[in-house]
Amino acid sequence: MEYIYFDNAATTNPSQSAIKKYNEALELYYNPSANYLPSVEVKKLIDDARLSIVDILRGQGSFVFTSCASEANNQILHSALKRKDKNYIISAGEHSSIYNTAMHMKSLGYDIRVADLKPNGCVDENTLLNLIDENTVGVSLIHLSNETGAINDINELTAMIKNKNKSVMVHFDGVQALGKIDINLQKSNVDFYTISAHKIYGLRGIAGFFIKKGVKITPLIFGGEQELGLRAGTENVAGILSFKTAIQDVKLSDYTQFKKVLLDNLDCEYLLVSDFNCSSAIISICFKGIRGETLVNMLASRGFIVGTGSACNSKFKGNRTLQSMGILKNFQDGNIRISFGKYNTLDQVKLLALNINNCIKSYLKQSI
């Protein structure tokens, strides 16, 4: 069966330009850490890619390549919180790579503090600021929610955090934000910023984080001196060079029309979690009388792929993000996530709405 794909927040279909660059770079098999000329030339290509990515993010600092954004997020959190008399703050709406890491550290006796979300899915600023004290070493917040599309104001929040405690290291998870909203890391003054290739039509297996000039961090993986001495392991040259191509191809996309057309064509009862101040690329929506997993499977049988919240957390019951937003349990159970990408069309969106209507009507009729 040929599927129409509406789960771009989980991963994206790699672009031909990223695939081409990856295949070309496979010929560059020399180890960048060696001293002979071909290896030195490969190392220069990696450093050029690093500079290009920092330039595109408009930051003053460097960039560390990792295998995935989860690794990057883990390194940042583990590096910041090393003493049990210090504390680290996250929000209830963080990606599982931050949230579950923080909860694991909490189980080991570390002081982890969790800020609530507002009904629109953004972090509650008042709760966040009240959690910060003289022992706070770091704050990790998601820039654009992978579940709801809610956008945290990176400039305002960073300024508020630094004003409360100027020594706090501020990290934003920008995995979903890249390509959806404008990013200027120099203006925002964040210390760390995570991105990933496979969310921007690049390939899986390569990601990384921006680190502001002058900020210190310790390795998560020890060994050689690769990646500025911050991430040991022979570099994924093909992945890095294709990542550079993918991020250079990124263009800001607006899917407001897609969102409007979808909602205008739904004739079943629903609760829209993602309001129109959220990114138009991600729609979290709850339907009454049907479980989200059931609707996802019914749509897949008809050739439409949608998601249920975070793909990294899809096998677990409940939804802490929706709970923190105050969404009632009977609507939470019927939650699905629709995320648009550059390969989608308006005609596909209309077909999706039609099939959602038909699936729900069919299910409710059988349930009577």
Side-chain angles (χ1 to χ4, degrees):
M1 179 184 293
E2 186 173 341
Y3 293 101
I4 299 176
Y5 187 69
F6 285 104
D7 198 20
N8 290 277
T11 195
T12 54
N13 182 6
S15 67
Q16 288 305 306
S17 58
I19 293 172
K20 180 181 178 182
K21 177 56 69 173
Y22 185 90
N23 289 332
E24 291 174 354
L26 290 175
E27 300 295 325
L28 303 172
Y29 59 86
Y30 304 100
N31 190 320
S33 297
N35 293 324
Y36 38 77
L37 182 59
S39 291
V40 172
E41 291 174 341
V42 172
K43 178 68 162 57
K44 185 179 184 305
L45 291 174
I46 291 174
D47 289 338
D48 287 344
R50 197 188 315 279
L51 291 172
S52 293
I53 291 175
V54 171
D55 185 58
I56 288 168
L57 295 175
R58 289 185 282 178
Q60 283 193 335
S62 192
F63 192 85
V64 178
F65 292 107
T66 61
S67 65
C68 59
S70 291
E71 180 193 329
N73 286 342
N74 269 257
Q75 180 170 354
I76 292 163
L77 205 161
H78 279 286
S79 176
L81 187 58
K82 292 189 175 298
R83 291 169 46 181
K84 293 183 178 179
D85 60 340
K86 302 294 182 180
N87 66 76
Y88 199 98
I89 300 170
I90 64 171
S91 85
E94 296 309 301
H95 185 269
S96 56
S97 60
I98 284 290
Y99 190 87
N100 290 346
T101 301
M103 292 303 102
H104 172 69
M105 296 185 77
K106 184 175 183 177
S107 73
L108 298 176
Y110 290 93
D111 187 355
I112 299 292
R113 303 176 179 185
V114 182
D116 295 329
L117 301 181
K118 296 189 289 189
N120 66 359
C122 295
V123 66
D124 186 295
E125 300 96 332
N126 292 328
T127 303
L128 173 66
L129 291 176
N130 286 335
L131 291 175
I132 298 172
D133 60 26
E134 67 276 7
N135 292 316
T136 303
V137 293
V139 175
S140 283
L141 298 173
I142 200 161
H143 192 179
L144 192 156
S145 172
N146 56 304
E147 295 199 51
T148 68
I151 302 170
N152 281 313
D153 190 323
I154 186 172
N155 298 346
E156 181 179 324
L157 286 167
T158 302
M160 292 168 67
I161 293 166
K162 297 281 190 181
N163 186 57
K164 184 76 181 285
N165 182 343
K166 65 180 180 181
S167 65
V168 172
M169 291 192 297
V170 179
H171 163 231
F172 271 83
D173 179 344
V175 168
Q176 294 292 342
L178 191 58
K180 299 181 181 76
I181 53 181
D182 186 52
I183 297 170
N184 186 329
L185 298 186
Q186 184 175 350
K187 183 177 180 181
S188 67
N189 196 34
V190 296
D191 298 294
F192 303 105
Y193 194 84
T194 310
I195 59 173
S196 181
H198 79 102
K199 306 293 189 178
I200 55 168
Y201 311 97
L203 284 83
R204 299 177 186 88
I206 187 68
F209 61 93
F210 165 84
I211 176 170
K212 187 174 71 176
K213 184 177 181 181
V215 174
K216 304 296 184 183
I217 188 171
T218 57
L220 181 67
I221 299 173
F222 291 86
E225 293 300 312
Q226 295 90 350
E227 290 306 298
L228 316 175
L230 297 176
R231 200 269 187 185
T234 304
E235 297 90 340
N236 177 4
V237 177
I240 289 170
L241 298 187
S242 68
F243 191 3
K244 175 186 175 182
T245 296
I247 196 171
Q248 286 177 330
D249 288 346
V250 167
K251 294 179 176 61
L252 289 178
S253 300
D254 183 2
Y255 298 102
T256 302
Q257 189 177 12
F258 282 17
K259 187 172 184 176
K260 184 177 186 305
V261 166
L262 177 77
L263 298 177
D264 286 348
N265 282 274
L266 291 176
D267 62 5
C268 47
E269 185 178 359
Y270 66 83
L271 172 68
L272 180 64
V273 177
S274 306
D275 66 27
F276 277 86
N277 292 318
C278 295
S279 167
S280 58
I282 298 176
I283 298 177
S284 178
I285 188 168
C286 302
F287 297 95
K288 199 170 183 180
I290 185 170
R291 292 190 63 83
E293 296 90 341
T294 302
L295 181 55
V296 166
N297 290 328
M298 291 181 73
L299 287 169
S301 70
R302 294 167 177 246
F304 295 86
I305 301 296
V306 300
T308 52
S310 170
C312 295
N313 212 35
S314 60
K315 294 182 181 179
F316 296 92
K317 301 298 182 183
N319 187 305
R320 58 180 159 77
T321 298
L322 299 187
Q323 289 172 8
S324 187
M325 292 172 64
I327 304 299
L328 296 176
K329 183 67 167 61
N330 61 331
F331 273 111
Q332 284 183 41
D333 291 341
N335 178 253
I336 67 170
R337 180 187 66 184
I338 299 162
S339 46
F340 303 122
K342 68 178 183 179
Y343 299 121
N344 292 132
T345 67
L346 270 177
D347 286 340
Q348 290 177 343
V349 175
K350 292 175 183 177
L351 280 173
L352 174 62
L354 175 64
N355 279 271
I356 290 174
N357 293 333
N358 291 339
C359 284
I360 292 178
K361 288 175 183 176
S362 173
Y363 180 82
L364 294 178
K365 186 175 180 181
Q366 293 176 3
S367 301
I368 295 176

